[in-house]
Amino acid sequence: MQTLDAAFSALADPTRRAILSRLTLGEATVLELAEPFDMSQPAVSRHLKVLETAGLITRRVEGAKRPCRLAPSAIGEIDRWLDMLRQALEQNYNRLDGVLAQMEQEEEGNVK
């Protein structure tokens, strides 16, 4: 759960979400990721460190560059957690549908 907590904490920042959105297009360097933001490269690097620590991105060394990419395992963990919530909501809605159908049948029985 600690990884999930770190991931959601990292996702709380709109700049980090924008960086992740950019990485859906493919691997990118710090300079490429910094381009659309009105902030210094070191500031973007700090955001990347938070994303990396949360397990949302990985970096590899390529000479002087350190290209970043999405880390599918962390995204998968978030998706599994959200899927558990989706299933719980679906079960709640199914129970509600059953209660409403029963109320409707009872109402029809009282009207006759």
Side-chain angles (χ1 to χ4, degrees):
M1 189 61 112
Q2 185 177 16
T3 305
L4 197 55
D5 291 344
F8 279 112
S9 179
L11 291 170
D13 185 275
T15 300
R16 292 193 282 268
R17 289 193 306 271
I19 289 170
L20 289 176
S21 293
R22 165 50 186 89
L23 290 174
T24 63
L25 303 174
E27 200 172 76
T29 65
V30 175
L31 290 177
E32 292 169 334
L33 293 169
E35 195 174 294
F37 301 106
D38 186 24
M39 65 178 68
S40 66
Q41 183 269 335
V44 171
S45 290
R46 286 190 294 274
H47 282 294
L48 292 174
K49 184 66 179 166
V50 171
L51 292 169
E52 187 176 25
T53 301
L56 294 169
I57 66 167
T58 60
R59 295 197 237 186
R60 63 183 176 81
V61 177
E62 186 179 277
K65 296 179 183 179
R66 296 206 53 200
C68 304
R69 71 175 81 175
L70 291 175
S73 61
I75 305 300
E77 185 177 344
I78 291 169
D79 194 45
R80 284 187 295 281
W81 186 80
L82 290 172
D83 189 50
M84 181 257 321
L85 291 180
R86 281 185 210 100
Q87 289 176 15
L89 282 173
E90 186 175 331
Q91 289 173 356
N92 287 341
Y93 287 132
N94 288 340
R95 281 194 300 270
L96 180 59
D97 287 344
V99 168
L100 293 174
Q102 182 179 357
M103 289 172 65
E104 191 173 276
Q105 286 177 350
E106 289 173 1
E107 177 124 345
E108 287 175 3
N110 288 336
V111 173
K112 291 181 180 182

